[in-house]
């Protein structure tokens, strides 16, 4: 934040204040070279209103905690440069969609992670796994499928942009299903059929309409739509074979 | 939080909107279509008068619209079935474009035959 102000002068930042019934308030922030949206929000909190609530940790796109709605689209604010998103010197910052607002820009991620648990998004050790190192061939189809989805950092961007989550609050959403798909394909896991059954149950993988907004917006470049399609296919085959 | 068209402005989302709108339009059209066909049994003279009316250019244009919707819905439906039942293919956007092109081509072919 020590760089000299760029010639462009000031940025107008509209920030959501309050809970679900809150409103946008407008702040003026000096423009800097390479300024991110997170920098602008931080400036407001440090210099204008210390009561502003928001989250961040790493500032470099690793932790996933800084996700917010920037000009209507969910983004990692630490990796979103003001110059890329500002329209006529204005940026509008709101909390992530599809999650309860705690206050200002901070949302309650509990439903997101509860659904992660509902989709059985945790590794189940197998008895054999305790015997030594598991050997998984890097080019096996399972390993490739798991690798393709494993870099998720749980930021909630895909969950916020998914309209099916907005329309059906029961829908487990792209991140949890993407995680379930990596476990269904994890040959070390002790309950792969259980992961598949959990992902297909209720408003699970079959509720997805393949809009691909999740894949379009995941900042890590993952493709939850492809993972969910894999789950749909595998669950279909399992159902034909008489799985519960 | 309200989200505007912004994040929805990508080909797969437009394909979804078109698929839903065309599906609903076809569902509304189908009962009317069947009712008119049933006139062949109930009241052939009325059917003939109706068919004469459908020769008008405005009705033909509207029919072409329906044909495009049906072709678009079929192409979109086959695309979704391929997406969900076949291994993932990176060319999803190309497939959407092919489906749209197919629908327009079918509409033009209908118009060529109509006049
Ligand atoms: C021509 C062959 C057709 C194919 C291949 C087809 C395929 C499909 C598929 C795969 C879906 C699921 C879409 C999704 O998962 O979001 C669907 C939805 C739908 N179809 Fe069709 N369909 C066809 C004809 C029709 C016809 C003739 C009608 C009208 C009576 C119709 C009305 C609908 C409606 C209302 C939906 C729901 C739309 C939505 O959920 O967004 N379809 N179709
Ligand atoms: S592909 Fe499925 S999970 Fe992804 S945004 Fe669309 S409906 Fe949601
Ligand atoms: S899939 Fe991508 S957008 Fe969704 S939570 Fe994981 S990293 Fe974030
Ligand atoms: S602060 Fe960690 S990803 Fe943005």
């Amino acid at each position: 934040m020590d760089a000299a102000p760029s010639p462009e002068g000031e940025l107008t930042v509209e920030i959501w204040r309050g809970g679900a019934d809150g409103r946008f308030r407008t702040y003026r922030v000096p423009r800097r070279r390479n300024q991110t949206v997170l920098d602008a929000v931080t400036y407001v909190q440090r210099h204008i209103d210390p009561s502003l609530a928001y989250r961040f940790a790493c500032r470099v796109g690793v932790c996933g905690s800084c996700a917010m709605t920037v000009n209507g689209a969910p983004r990692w604010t630490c990796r979103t440069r003001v110059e890329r998103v500002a329209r006529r010197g204005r940026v509008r910052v709101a909390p992530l969609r599809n999650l309860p607002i705690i206050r200002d820009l901070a949302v309650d991620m509990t439903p997101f992670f509860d659904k992660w648990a509902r989709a059985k998004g945790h590794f189940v050790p197998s008895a054999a796994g305790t015997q030594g190192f598991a050997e998984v061939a890097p080019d096996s189809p399972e390993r490739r499928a798991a690798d393709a989805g494993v870099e998720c950092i749980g930021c909630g961007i895909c969950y916020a942009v998914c309209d099916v989550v907005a329309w059906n609050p029961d829908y487990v959403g792209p991140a949890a299903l993407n995680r379930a798909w990596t476990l269904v394909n994890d040959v070390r896991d002790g309950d792969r059929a259980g992961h598949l059954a959990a992902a297909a149950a209720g408003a699970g993988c079959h509720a997805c309409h393949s809009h691909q907004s999740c894949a379009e917006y995941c900042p890590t470049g993952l493709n939850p739509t492809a993972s969910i399609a894999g789950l749909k296919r595998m669950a279909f085959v399992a159902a034909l074979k008489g799985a519960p | 939080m309200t989200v505007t068209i912004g994040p929805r402005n990508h080909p797969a989302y437009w394909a979804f909107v078109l698929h839903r709108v065309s599906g609903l339009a076809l569902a509304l059209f189908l009962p009317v279509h069947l009712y008119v066909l049933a006139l062949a049994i109930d009241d052939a003279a009325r059917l003939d008068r109706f068919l004469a009316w459908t020769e008008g250019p405005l009705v033909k244009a509207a029919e072409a619209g329906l044909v495009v919707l049906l072709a678009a819905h079929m192409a979109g439906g086959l695309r979704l079935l391929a997406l969900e039942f076949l291994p993932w293919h990176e060319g999803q956007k190309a497939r959407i474009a092919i489906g749209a092109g197919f629908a327009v081509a079918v509409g033009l072919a209908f118009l060529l035959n109509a006049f």
Side-chain angles (χ1 to χ4, degrees), chain A residues 163 210-211 213 217 232-233, chain B residues 7-8 10 13 84-86:
Chain A
D163 272 349
S210 302
H211 295 161
S213 296
Y217 279 86
K232 286 174 177 168
R233 211 153 50 228
Chain B
R8 300 184 178 89
H10 59 88
Y13 200 91
E84 288 172 6
F85 284 100
L86 302 177

Side-chain angles (χ1 to χ4, degrees), chain A residues 194-209:
Chain A
H195 291 297
L196 184 61
C205 62
H206 297 297
C208 162
H209 278 279

Side-chain angles (χ1 to χ4, degrees), chain A residues 157-158 161 211-219 221-225, chain B residues 7-13 93:
Chain A
I157 296 268
C158 56
V161 81
H211 295 161
Q212 299 171 56
S213 296
C214 51
E216 204 66 39
Y217 279 86
C218 171
L222 304 189
N223 186 345
T225 316
Chain B
R8 300 184 178 89
N9 191 10
H10 59 88
Y13 200 91
K93 285 175 185 170

Side-chain angles (χ1 to χ4, degrees), chain B residues 17-83:
Chain B
V17 171
L18 181 63
H19 197 252
R20 178 153 291 184
V21 169
S22 60
L24 290 175
L26 293 172
L28 289 176
F29 168 75
L30 207 56
V32 182
H33 185 59
L34 294 177
Y35 169 76
V36 171
L37 290 183
L39 285 180
I41 302 171
D42 285 351
D43 189 347
R46 240 184 101 203
L47 178 65
D48 285 338
R49 264 179 279 129
F50 179 80
L51 288 180
W53 174 72
T54 62
E55 291 303 315
L58 267 180
V59 182
K60 282 283 176 235
E63 276 178 355
L66 269 173
V67 167
V68 170
L69 286 182
L70 179 63
H73 189 86
M74 191 184 80
L78 293 175
R79 176 186 68 87
L80 285 170
L81 292 171
L83 185 159

Side-chain angles (χ1 to χ4, degrees), chain A residues 38 55-67 76-79 153 155:
Chain A
L38 182 64
R55 273 195 206 103
F56 74 96
C58 72
R59 301 186 294 104
V60 288
V62 171
C63 72
S65 63
C66 66
W76 291 346
T77 51
C78 73
R79 300 290 284 168
I153 60 173
C155 64

Side-chain angles (χ1 to χ4, degrees), chain A:
Chain A
M1 300 283 287
D2 294 326
S6 68
E8 288 138 301
E10 279 190 330
L11 178 74
T12 304
V13 191
E14 294 170 83
I15 297 182
W16 185 264
R17 299 306 307 268
D21 55 355
R23 64 193 173 87
F24 285 100
R25 291 190 58 174
T26 305
Y27 305 91
R28 296 199 186 284
V29 173
R31 274 196 124 159
R32 314 271 181 188
R33 211 164 289 129
N34 294 332
Q35 188 175 30
T36 64
V37 173
L38 182 64
D39 292 334
V41 170
T42 299
Y43 182 93
V44 172
Q45 201 244 19
R46 301 269 162 91
H47 298 278
I48 305 176
D49 184 351
S51 75
L52 174 63
Y54 71 109
R55 273 195 206 103
F56 74 96
C58 72
R59 301 186 294 104
V60 288
V62 171
C63 72
S65 63
C66 66
M68 301 170 202
T69 308
V70 180
N71 284 350
R75 293 182 184 282
W76 291 346
T77 51
C78 73
R79 300 290 284 168
T80 304
R81 283 212 252 146
V82 164
E83 64 191 18
R84 269 201 54 215
V85 290
R87 293 181 199 137
R88 273 178 262 107
R90 297 178 84 86
V91 178
R92 178 174 261 213
V93 191
L96 271 190
R97 188 173 77 132
N98 291 340
L99 289 161
I101 302 173
I102 298 173
R103 185 161 62 82
D104 305 339
L105 300 173
V107 292
D108 180 0
M109 298 290 283
T110 309
F112 177 78
F113 289 112
D114 281 352
K115 288 178 178 178
W116 198 289
R118 215 179 86 202
K120 205 171 155 81
H122 61 275
F123 181 72
V124 179
S126 63
T130 57
Q131 311 283 308
F133 287 110
E135 282 179 31
V136 186
D139 54 354
S140 65
E142 288 95 343
R143 175 63 186 266
R144 281 162 181 259
D147 272 358
V150 84
E151 298 289 347
C152 170
I153 60 173
C155 64
I157 296 268
C158 56
Y159 188 84
V161 81
C162 176
D163 272 349
V164 176
V165 173
W167 297 335
N168 178 1
D170 257 356
Y171 176 45
V172 288
L177 291 170
N178 176 71
R179 177 64 182 141
W181 176 241
T182 63
L183 292 164
V184 164
N185 283 289
D186 190 336
V187 295
R188 304 164 306 157
D189 194 281
D191 190 15
R192 292 163 70 194
H195 291 297
L196 184 61
C205 62
H206 297 297
C208 162
H209 278 279
S210 302
H211 295 161
Q212 299 171 56
S213 296
C214 51
E216 204 66 39
Y217 279 86
C218 171
T220 312
L222 304 189
N223 186 345
T225 316
S227 301
I228 296 168
L231 287 169
K232 286 174 177 168
R233 211 153 50 228
M234 211 180 261
F236 179 73
V237 172
L240 287 184
K241 289 184 180 160

